[in-house]
């Protein structure tokens, strides 16, 4: 599998954002506030720039039950479900959308150029 050093961090960033929005968590540190701001800005920018499909994929894959731990293959199953039912795209395309969203969020969080 291809390594993406920020993949896990940004995935957790989106999941934490969903927990905060659902009222299940409360940010306590500056880093947590920066994570929430980066995730929110990313979703907002995607929605307003005509790339709502990427924001929808992020919500469908990363933000489902964010308070529960991820199990083996849960991301793959969510990608498959989104690709078939909502995305009208193949799985590889959905993974590419998720990667684009993670890169944008990492840039907003100043983790990657």
């Amino acid at each position: 599998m291809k390594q993406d050093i920020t993949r896990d961090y940004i995935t957790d960033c989106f999941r934490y954002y969903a927990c905060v929005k659902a009222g299940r968590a409360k940010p306590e540190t500056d880093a947590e506030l920066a994570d929430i701001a980066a995730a929110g800005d990313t979703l907002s920018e995607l929605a307003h720039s005509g790339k709502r499909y990427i924001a929808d994929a992020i919500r469908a894959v990363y933000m489902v039950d964010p308070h529960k731990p991820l199990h083996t293959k849960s991301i793959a199953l969510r990608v498959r479900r989104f690709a078939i039912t909502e995305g009208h795209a193949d799985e590889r395309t959905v993974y590419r959308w998720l990667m684009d969203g993670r890169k944008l969020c990492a840039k907003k969080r100043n983790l990657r150029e």
Side-chain angles (χ1 to χ4, degrees), residues 8-66:
D8 294 337
Y9 184 85
I10 297 300
T11 299
D12 288 340
C13 180
F14 283 124
R15 292 175 59 75
Y16 184 67
Y17 173 81
C19 279
V20 170
K21 290 299 177 185
R24 293 187 169 263
K26 187 173 182 179
E28 297 177 0
T29 65
D30 291 339
E32 290 173 342
L33 290 171
D35 288 345
I36 292 168
D41 290 348
T42 298
L43 293 172
S44 178
E45 182 175 323
L46 290 170
H48 291 27
S49 68
K51 296 183 179 181
R52 179 174 288 277
Y53 54 91
I54 296 175
D56 292 342
I58 290 169
R59 285 187 189 95
V61 175
Y62 296 147
M63 296 184 171
V64 174
D65 294 329

Side-chain angles (χ1 to χ4, degrees), residues 48-102:
H48 291 27
S49 68
K51 296 183 179 181
R52 179 174 288 277
Y53 54 91
I54 296 175
D56 292 342
I58 290 169
R59 285 187 189 95
V61 175
Y62 296 147
M63 296 184 171
V64 174
D65 294 329
H67 56 283
K68 295 180 182 177
L70 287 173
H71 297 290
T72 305
K73 301 288 183 183
S74 61
I75 296 277
L77 292 173
R78 291 175 189 173
V79 166
R80 182 173 294 139
R81 184 180 308 129
F82 181 79
I84 292 170
T85 61
E86 299 175 34
H88 305 293
D90 60 21
E91 292 175 39
R92 183 66 213 135
T93 300
V94 175
Y95 279 115
R96 194 172 326 110
W97 292 346
L98 293 172
M99 181 182 63
D100 291 345
R102 287 192 314 267

